[in-house]
Amino acid sequence: MIVALNVPKVITNEKERGLYYPDHEFTFSLEEEVEGFDIYYANMLGGDPVKTTNGKFTLAEGNYVIRAYPIYPGMDTEPSKNWQYASEIYAKVIAKPTFSKKAGTYNEGFTLTLQNVPEQDTREEWVSDEPENILVPQVWYYLDNNKNDSIRYDATKGISVTESCKVSVYIIDVDSARKLKSQPVEAQYVIR
């Protein structure tokens, strides 16, 4: 007797390639509810498969190729067995920047500096017809909701805050010729 088993596909709204902070909760789910199935994920760069709790998990800093796949109790947990039902993403997890505020007054304002920014390397990129050395990853910030007025962060100058405002920081990395942009890290500063 042959029993056909309906294996559900694992789906996700996570970006195929993305830049994340360690507090990001990765979420995967089954395309349809099929009783008895669990979701496992495997880091294709190494590591044993791990069963998720409700299809959610977080990751420590590092580079990952994640394959989340359905597994039925008692079946082999080798991820290659269910690759056709899996969802795969490429994730880079980096430290989350934190803000440090130097003393100031209302008239003078404050200067903010960032900690936990990723170590930057110099790479040569072609701009127009000339090569140019740039630092990557790139750290950018903007004030209030003016994202179109983003400014490249300069650690020697910091971020000047002269009035009540929100500061948003994001990081752009270059990976496999794709620009990966982190979600903003935000802080509200009120100068009294």
Side-chain angles (χ1 to χ4, degrees):
M1 181 173 136
I2 299 175
V3 178
L5 186 62
N6 178 28
V7 181
K9 182 172 176 57
V10 174
I11 58 174
T12 184
N13 289 326
E14 303 288 350
K15 294 178 284 189
E16 181 186 358
R17 292 181 182 272
L19 193 61
Y20 302 94
Y21 299 121
D23 62 356
H24 177 81
E25 189 173 63
F26 293 86
T27 303
F28 293 83
S29 61
L30 298 176
E31 188 173 38
E32 57 183 308
E33 289 300 321
V34 179
E35 187 177 348
F37 275 91
D38 291 318
I39 297 175
Y40 280 74
Y41 76 87
N43 177 9
M44 305 305 286
L45 298 178
D48 294 326
V50 178
K51 180 181 174 184
T52 70
T53 302
N54 298 324
K56 299 179 180 181
F57 57 89
T58 57
L59 296 171
E61 293 174 35
N63 295 328
Y64 298 88
V65 180
I66 297 296
R67 176 178 287 168
Y69 57 97
I71 197 75
Y72 195 77
M75 289 176 63
D76 190 341
T77 58
E78 171 58 44
S80 62
K81 295 286 188 350
N82 287 315
W83 67 269
Q84 68 268 44
Y85 305 109
S87 185
E88 193 169 281
I89 64 169
Y90 301 80
K92 181 177 284 189
V93 182
I94 60 174
K96 194 170 191 176
T98 56
F99 298 90
S100 177
K101 181 174 66 174
K102 292 183 180 177
T105 65
Y106 182 82
N107 292 332
E108 296 173 354
F110 292 109
T111 300
L112 307 177
T113 55
L114 297 174
Q115 280 73 48
N116 293 336
V117 293
E119 188 173 337
Q120 296 176 307
D121 294 323
T122 302
R123 290 191 193 170
E124 186 179 271
E125 286 199 356
W126 288 84
V127 179
S128 298
D129 294 328
E130 295 294 327
E132 180 180 325
N133 289 326
I134 64 167
L135 283 175
V136 293
Q138 300 174 9
V139 182
W140 292 78
Y141 71 93
Y142 58 94
L143 303 180
D144 294 319
N145 295 316
N146 302 319
K147 193 166 188 178
N148 291 334
D149 297 328
S150 292
I151 302 169
R152 183 83 176 268
Y153 176 68
D154 184 342
T156 63
K157 296 178 181 177
I159 302 172
S160 295
V161 182
T162 55
E163 58 187 36
S164 300
C165 70
K166 179 174 70 175
V167 181
S168 301
V169 172
Y170 62 92
I171 296 167
I172 299 177
D173 196 15
V174 179
D175 185 21
S176 301
R178 299 187 190 201
K179 283 193 174 179
L180 308 178
K181 186 185 294 183
S182 70
Q183 291 297 311
V185 176
E186 298 178 341
Q188 184 81 35
Y189 289 93
V190 178
I191 299 175
R192 302 190 184 283

